[in-house]
Amino acid sequence: MSRIALLVALVASFIPQSLAQTPTYKGALTLSPIAGNSKCLSSQNGNANGSPVVIADCTGGAEQLFTFQNGQVTMYGGKMCLDVTDGVNADGTKLQIWQCYAGAPNQAWYYNFWDNSLSWTNKGKCLDLTNWSLSNGNRVQIWGCSPGNPNQFWNVGYMASNLPAQSQNGQTGTNNCGTGSSASSKCQTLWLNSYDDFCLFGPPKTASIGDIEREAVAYCTKGTHGTRVFPPGTFKGVHWVKTPDYVQITGQGDFTKIHVPKGDEGGELDNHGADGNGNPIGGLIYGNVFGNNQQFHEWTEFLSYKEFCIRACVGPNAPNNCNHIYDEMGCQWNMPANYNTGVFESCEGDDSLPM
């Protein structure tokens, strides 16, 4: 087990189940295996009792939207629930949806947002990607819970075409940002598309990153994402690198133009704050790098008054490649790369060692 997986398991063991029964994101959510961001859990036969729960291409349809409430995972306006077929507590039992019944043991689940597992309450079994297969129609199962098992790592999120007004409790901005731009935008959704079409989180007003990280807003290079736009002359160099498992952007600039105080050495912004919410709260990232409009569930950004770096990760190593441990060490420790000024480039490369 990696150090990160061990740390997550230890932290999770001290979190009461009552505090970790639901994701930190709210509303109707997609459920995707860590093996593939473009795949979602889906009810194969709609809202019919006994409909198999399978892997399918993400569409965001009603058959792929799950709401966590009252210890159940519901669908179709709370009428249907994720259900263990016949209540058989055995490895390999497949899942279905069935009419919801309050207190039904077959329909009792809790989601641990520290390790992204969905467990059958008090049964020692977890939602499991059968045979690690992303084939459409692969029916998911329950299996003995095993911390760090990638088959049992399930990301929750939203389709880019159906973003909520707000995704987390306590959020100060919005995720459904529209198009265009505004100098006072409170958008908290980033896009990473190319070396000349990307966004960063930054202060909404003049304040140090450490003081404003929970309220940071989106600044983008293009005025088409409903965000604030970087003023001319902000960037002095940009280095875009795509690897098989992440996209990374590094460089230098004058970020006093976006309210970072001169001399502020900055801090980390990421999808896992100390309470499970993001920094900023409700911050989401999407891009067209590994597929159209895909959500990056694991990401990390560092920003100071003169330097920036951001990495967004996919695949089974995403938590390691985009970890959030060395939050005081800055860009060049966490993301060794080209930070030269006067160069704006786009490259492909290999993964570096895990952060």
Side-chain angles (χ1 to χ4, degrees):
M1 183 183 299
S2 71
R3 289 185 302 158
I4 293 172
L6 178 61
L7 178 62
V8 168
L10 289 173
V11 170
S13 69
F14 289 100
I15 302 296
Q17 289 185 3
S18 61
L19 298 181
Q21 287 184 344
T22 63
T24 59
Y25 297 103
K26 59 186 184 179
L29 303 165
T30 58
L31 272 163
S32 295
I34 194 173
N37 282 8
S38 66
K39 299 292 184 175
C40 286
L41 280 192
S42 184
S43 173
Q44 192 172 53
N45 298 325
N47 61 354
N49 275 337
S51 174
V53 178
V54 301
I55 296 297
D57 294 334
C58 294
T59 64
E63 72 279 3
Q64 297 182 352
L65 295 178
F66 299 85
T67 301
F68 293 73
Q69 55 186 353
N70 302 319
Q72 295 176 310
V73 182
T74 70
M75 304 181 74
Y76 297 100
K79 296 178 181 179
M80 308 301 290
C81 278
L82 187 66
D83 185 282
V84 178
T85 303
D86 297 326
V88 177
N89 188 358
D91 287 349
T93 299
K94 300 301 189 284
L95 297 186
Q96 61 182 7
I97 67 165
W98 200 270
Q99 181 179 349
C100 294
Y101 292 96
N106 294 10
Q107 300 172 354
W109 302 92
Y110 72 90
Y111 183 88
N112 191 322
F113 56 71
W114 294 109
D115 66 6
N116 293 59
S117 63
L118 181 60
S119 301
W120 187 14
T121 303
N122 297 324
K123 300 293 187 179
K125 295 290 192 291
C126 285
L127 174 64
D128 188 278
L129 178 62
T130 305
N131 296 326
W132 188 244
S133 171
L134 292 176
S135 297
N136 287 342
N138 179 31
R139 192 172 181 182
V140 295
Q141 62 186 5
I142 57 167
W143 202 270
C145 297
S146 176
N149 182 349
N151 282 7
Q152 298 173 0
F153 194 111
W154 297 91
N155 287 310
V156 296
Y158 308 94
M159 299 295 290
S161 58
N162 190 30
L163 291 173
Q166 293 186 320
S167 59
Q168 291 184 322
N169 292 324
Q171 186 172 352
T172 57
T174 185
N175 295 115
N176 193 347
C177 306
T179 56
S181 64
S182 168
S184 59
S185 170
K186 300 188 75 174
C187 180
Q188 294 178 309
T189 301
L190 302 191
W191 285 86
L192 306 179
N193 292 327
S194 66
Y195 83 99
D196 61 353
D197 182 8
F198 69 90
C199 313
L200 299 173
F201 286 117
K205 59 186 178 182
T206 301
S208 68
I209 298 297
D211 290 337
I212 206 72
E213 62 182 4
R214 310 237 78 179
E215 303 173 27
V217 298
Y219 292 83
C220 297
T221 58
K222 293 188 179 296
T224 57
H225 301 301
T227 68
R228 305 185 188 200
V229 176
F230 289 108
T234 299
F235 292 100
K236 299 179 180 178
V238 172
H239 308 272
W240 167 285
V241 177
K242 177 188 175 184
T243 79
D245 293 308
Y246 59 80
V247 60
Q248 176 176 291
I249 320 168
T250 59
Q252 302 279 340
D254 178 6
F255 299 107
T256 65
K257 292 178 179 288
I258 61 166
H259 301 299
V260 181
K262 186 174 179 61
D264 180 17
E265 294 300 329
E268 185 184 25
L269 301 147
D270 57 67
N271 60 293
H272 290 299
D275 59 358
N277 287 322
N279 290 320
I281 298 174
L284 302 176
I285 300 186
Y286 293 82
N288 297 313
V289 183
F290 296 98
N292 290 333
N293 302 328
Q294 285 195 17
Q295 183 174 357
F296 290 102
H297 299 282
E298 298 287 341
W299 54 269
T300 181
E301 174 193 331
F302 291 84
L303 181 68
S304 74
Y305 77 102
K306 63 179 181 180
E307 187 174 73
F308 80 95
C309 57
I310 186 169
R311 180 186 289 183
C313 301
V314 298
N317 292 320
N320 286 333
N321 289 328
C322 277
N323 75 50
H324 319 116
I325 295 177
Y326 306 109
D327 58 342
E328 296 183 359
M329 301 302 290
C331 278
Q332 300 204 31
W333 173 276
N334 284 281
M335 299 182 217
N338 190 347
Y339 288 86
N340 292 342
T341 61
V343 179
F344 294 78
E345 62 182 359
S346 178
C347 305
E348 292 192 357
D350 297 322
D351 291 350
S352 68
L353 293 174
M355 295 170 66

